[in-house]
Amino acid sequence: MDHKLSTLLCLTLLFSTILNPALSELCNPEDKKVLLQIKKAFNDPYVLTSWKSETDCCDWYCVTCDSTTNRINSLTIFAGQVSGQIPTQVGDLPYLETLEFHKQPNLTGPIQPSIAKLKSLKELRLSWTNISGSVPDFLSQLKNLTFIDLSFSNFTGSIPSSLSQLPNLNAIRLDRNKLTGHIPKSFGEFHGSVPDLYLSHNQLSGNIPTSLAKLNFNRIDFSRNKLEGDASMIFGLNKTTQIVDLSRNLLEFNLSKVEFSKSLISLDLNHNQITGSIPVGLTQVDLQFLNVSYNRLCGQIPVGGKLQSFDSSTYFHNRCLCGAPLPSCK
C-alpha cells in the first residue's frame, strides 16, 4: 500500500510539475533569449515590463505561445510606446505567425530584412508608424502571408510587382504612404486568392493596368492618387466586386458604356474627369453608396433602382447632368 501511495505521490508531483508553469516553464528557452534581446534593443520600454527572465515568457504581455508547441507565434505591440528601429532579432522567432506594430509613431527606419526569415508568418501589420524606405521585395518569399498592412506610415518608392506571387493573400493595405510609380501589371495576375487592394492616399500615377480586368476583386480603393485614363476594366457584368473607390484622381473615360455587376454596393468616382452619361444599367444595382460628383458627366440621370434615393451632392458639379435629384432636364 505504501509503495502504491508513494508511486501515486510521485505521479501527482510529476503531473503538477508539467501542468504548473511555476514549476516547469512552458516557454522555449531560445524564444525567451530572443525576446529579451528585443526588449534590450528597444531600451527596456515600459510596455515590455512583464518580460522578466525569471518568469514564463508564455505569460508575457504582447506575445502568445502556440498551445501545442509552446513556441512564440505572435508578437503584437499596439498599446504603449516603443522607439527606434525594429530589432533584427525579430527574425529569430521561427514560429512567428503574427507580427504587429500598430500606432507606434516612434518606430522608424526600414522594414527589417531579417523578417524575410519568418517563413511561417501569416499577418504582417506595421501601421500608423514612422517606418520608411521601400516596401521590400522579400515579402514575396513569405508564402503563408494572408494579410499585409503597411498603412499610415512613410513608405516611398514603387509597389513591388512580386507581391502577386503570394498565393494566400486576403488583403494588401499600402494606403496613406508616399508611394510613387505605377500600379504593377502583375496585380492582374495574383496566383491564388484575389486580395482586397487598399492603395489610397499615395502619389501613384499612370494608367490602371488593363490586366485587372482578368480578376474579381472584392474591394478596390485607389482614391487620392494621380491615376489617369481608363478604369472601366475594374467593372463588368460578371464581376463580384462590391466596393470601388477611385475618387480624387485624374481618370478620364466614358462612363456611358461601362457595365456594372449587381454585386456592387458602393461606387465612388468623385473628383475625376469622367465623361459620358450615367448608364441605365446602374438602376439594376442595389447601391448603398454612390458619388459621381465633380466630373464631366452629361444627360439625364436614369430613373429607377437606387439612383433617386441619393441627394444632389452625389451628382452635382458635372457638366450637364439633369433630372432627379438634380433640377429637371430642359
Side-chain angles (χ1 to χ4, degrees), residues 80-93:
Q81 294 296 314
V82 294
S83 50
Q85 300 197 9
I86 297 172
T88 37
Q89 292 90 341
V90 163
D92 298 326
L93 295 168

Side-chain angles (χ1 to χ4, degrees), residues 81-281:
Q81 294 296 314
V82 294
S83 50
Q85 300 197 9
I86 297 172
T88 37
Q89 292 90 341
V90 163
D92 298 326
L93 295 168
Y95 291 83
L96 211 58
E97 293 179 11
T98 302
L99 178 60
E100 175 178 350
F101 291 100
H102 178 60
K103 290 198 172 170
Q104 298 295 330
N106 301 321
L107 199 60
T108 56
I111 291 191
Q112 188 49 252
S114 66
I115 288 172
K117 296 192 282 185
L118 300 174
K119 300 301 181 194
S120 300
L121 202 64
K122 291 179 181 171
E123 291 191 20
L124 177 64
R125 189 177 191 200
L126 308 172
S127 53
W128 297 72
T129 71
N130 270 307
I131 296 174
S132 57
S134 58
V135 176
D137 205 38
F138 67 68
L139 293 180
S140 63
Q141 297 163 28
L142 305 176
K143 301 296 184 195
N144 289 307
L145 277 175
T146 60
F147 184 59
I148 297 173
D149 183 358
L150 307 178
S151 61
F152 290 87
S153 293
N154 277 324
F155 291 104
T156 52
S158 56
I159 299 170
S161 59
S162 59
L163 292 180
S164 66
Q165 293 162 23
L166 291 166
N168 300 303
L169 271 184
N170 297 323
I172 299 179
R173 294 205 63 150
L174 303 176
D175 45 306
R176 293 184 186 258
N177 280 288
K178 296 167 184 166
L179 299 170
T180 52
H182 294 200
I183 295 170
K185 284 191 184 71
S186 65
F187 275 23
E189 291 149 13
F190 279 93
H191 295 306
S193 52
V194 181
D196 294 347
L197 294 180
Y198 298 86
L199 307 179
S200 72
H201 294 78
N202 280 291
Q203 292 153 34
L204 300 170
S205 58
N207 287 14
I208 297 172
T210 52
S211 59
L212 265 59
K214 294 185 273 184
L215 292 184
N216 237 328
F217 293 91
N218 184 50
R219 185 177 187 136
I220 281 182
D221 186 355
F222 295 167
S223 62
R224 292 180 186 259
N225 280 289
K226 297 171 183 173
L227 299 169
E228 300 166 23
D230 189 18
S232 60
M233 80 295 287
I234 288 169
F235 307 103
L237 280 178
N238 300 322
K239 298 262 183 166
T240 54
T241 307
Q242 289 191 303
I243 296 169
V244 176
D245 188 348
L246 305 172
S247 61
R248 294 181 184 268
N249 278 287
L250 306 166
L251 297 167
E252 206 170 329
F253 62 98
N254 186 336
L255 194 66
S256 324
K257 301 182 175 65
V258 178
E259 294 185 312
F260 294 96
S261 72
K262 290 188 176 177
S263 61
L264 202 62
I265 53 173
S266 178
L267 175 64
D268 195 345
L269 302 173
N270 82 76
H271 285 85
N272 279 288
Q273 294 157 27
I274 299 166
T275 56
S277 56
I278 294 172
V280 176

